[in-house]
Amino acid sequence: MSADQTLLATTPRGDSAVETPFYIPATGTAARPRCALKYGDTFAIVDSYGDIGASAGGSDGLFHKDTRFLSLLELRVNGQQLLLLGSNQRDDNTALSVDLTNPDFIVDGKIALQKDLLHIGRTMFLWHGTAYQRLAVRNHSDKPIELSLSIRFGSDFADLFEVRGLQRARRGTAKQEMIGPDRVLLVYRGLDSKMRRSTLTFDPPPTELTVDTATYRLVIEAGEMHPLFIAMECDKPAEQRAIPFFAGLLAVHRELRSATHDAASIESSNEIFNEILCRSAADLQMLMTDTPEGRYPYAGTPWYSTTFGRDGLVTALQMLWCDPKVARGVLRRLAAH
């Protein structure tokens, strides 16, 4: 039996996928819609599972200043993909929450671990060039469960034009190295001789760590929850460590409140119209980016997360009556450039 198949059975060994003709084993995965998170010059396109590059159909990645710093981030348990219970982006667009569970783990034709006994809560947000993820693995059975949780990762350091399909005749050089029992550094030297770095930090340190996979071998008692944290830093010094997950999440919410505290709020007698207004305001705030000249509404993710003159002017004009700071930042930035 492989390491990925090692687990404590929580259902009788007699439960066989072939002996129960009316039972449909839950092992597959459905299509995965994409969602976007953005903070400043950093944005992430992830699927509904919270993965990056784990399924076809999207230009996934963690992007920073028009370069993809992470092109793969895939979570598996006992070597298998998980099942999606649901995912939800906060109303203010600051974080993505995902609820996952285990499929039927089948060993030698028998169900060794029945589906829905594990719950994996996954939370992701961005702050100051760093993507944070928290994994909360909970055992809902009445027996201990032994499992292998692995996180595959990697980066191609492609620029946005390459991600959109442009084929480059030449590329720079990439390397990966471990810089500690809990950290991996992905480095790319471009043709412009500039070094770009992705630093991944795992807390607690994995049981096994290589340059492309972190593996945790866990024994989770009945009713117990086990938290794991990942910080993925873009272009930060290798010796610098990201602040803890909860401190970063608190900082994101504080900054959003500060940025919007003097903007006008709108409320009507129509609840549906109120929801539209709230969604529009949240989407606009996600696009707002601090520049040296002031806050500027970037055109959109993923392809247009940058300054567009006409789009900025139109947005500033339409927002003038409720948030004049938008116009101030737009005019100053366009005047400077």
Side-chain angles (χ1 to χ4, degrees):
M1 184 181 297
S2 69
D4 282 342
Q5 293 174 320
T6 303
L7 48 86
L8 294 181
T10 60
T11 56
R13 282 289 180 177
D15 288 356
S16 171
V18 296
E19 293 174 357
T20 52
F22 298 108
Y23 184 83
I24 302 175
T27 58
T29 179
R32 300 186 179 189
R34 264 59 181 181
C35 64
L37 295 171
K38 179 183 172 297
Y39 181 97
D41 285 310
T42 307
F43 68 89
I45 304 297
V46 302
D47 64 30
S48 54
Y49 287 58
D51 283 335
I52 293 173
S55 62
S59 301
D60 301 356
L62 172 62
F63 297 83
H64 180 69
K65 294 184 177 179
D66 298 332
T67 297
R68 182 159 62 184
F69 278 74
L70 206 65
S71 55
L72 175 65
L73 185 74
E74 182 180 14
L75 172 66
R76 288 184 176 239
V77 173
N78 293 343
Q80 293 185 229
Q81 292 183 342
L82 296 165
L83 300 177
L84 179 67
L85 297 175
S87 61
N88 178 59
Q89 197 159 346
R90 275 182 58 103
D91 289 343
D92 59 10
N93 290 323
T94 55
L96 172 70
S97 298
V98 180
D99 293 294
L100 303 163
T101 190
N102 64 290
D104 287 314
F105 291 136
I106 299 175
V107 179
D108 297 328
K110 298 181 182 296
I111 298 176
L113 180 66
Q114 195 173 32
K115 66 182 178 69
D116 298 334
L117 294 180
L118 289 172
H119 175 260
I120 297 94
R122 199 172 188 180
T123 305
M124 180 178 184
F125 70 93
L126 307 178
W127 188 70
H128 285 291
T130 302
Y132 293 83
Q133 276 207 16
R134 174 181 183 257
L135 304 173
V137 187
R138 186 179 296 276
N139 177 4
H140 284 285
S141 76
D142 57 358
K143 298 179 181 179
I145 295 179
E146 184 177 343
L147 58 90
S148 172
L149 184 149
S150 63
I151 303 157
R152 295 174 56 232
F153 53 86
S155 178
D156 57 4
F157 290 97
D159 64 49
L160 279 176
F161 292 100
E162 289 180 278
V163 176
R164 295 178 68 175
L166 177 68
Q167 299 294 321
R168 297 199 178 276
R170 298 171 56 217
R171 297 200 85 244
T173 57
K175 68 174 183 178
Q176 308 82 32
E177 59 179 296
M178 294 175 56
I179 55 176
D182 60 344
R183 308 185 82 201
V184 174
L185 178 64
L186 312 177
V187 182
Y188 176 77
R189 180 184 290 274
L191 298 177
D192 56 0
S193 296
K194 182 177 179 180
M195 299 289 288
R196 295 168 175 86
R197 300 175 179 86
S198 295
T199 308
L200 290 92
T201 304
F202 300 89
D203 180 24
T207 309
E208 298 175 13
L209 181 62
T210 67
V211 294
D212 60 9
T213 306
T215 303
Y216 290 90
R217 310 218 181 272
L218 306 173
V219 178
I220 304 180
E221 299 296 327
E224 184 184 33
M225 189 276 287
H226 193 98
L228 306 171
F229 299 91
I230 313 168
M232 297 154 278
E233 300 169 88
C234 303
D235 256 358
K236 301 291 181 67
E239 64 275 9
Q240 176 180 320
R241 285 182 175 264
I243 69 171
F245 177 92
F246 290 108
L249 189 58
L250 182 61
V252 169
H253 294 152
R254 283 176 173 170
E255 288 184 9
L256 181 61
R257 286 197 299 269
S258 176
T260 60
H261 78 281
D262 56 355
S265 59
I266 310 160
E267 185 175 355
S268 75
S269 59
N270 188 300
E271 293 298 327
I272 295 177
F273 185 61
N274 290 340
E275 289 294 328
I276 294 172
L277 292 174
C278 289
R279 167 52 52 202
S280 300
D283 289 348
L284 178 62
Q285 284 302 320
M286 184 172 71
L287 293 173
M288 294 299 296
T289 305
D290 288 321
T291 72
E293 296 78 27
R295 287 171 62 79
Y296 196 101
Y298 277 7
T301 56
W303 309 128
Y304 308 109
S305 188
T306 187
T307 300
F308 274 64
R310 179 186 60 187
D311 293 14
L313 287 169
V314 170
T315 303
L317 182 63
Q318 293 181 345
M319 293 291 293
L320 190 61
W321 64 277
C322 63
D323 193 357
K325 296 194 305 297
V326 178
R328 186 183 303 125
V330 167
L331 293 175
R332 286 177 174 172
R333 183 159 180 79
L334 294 181
H337 294 279

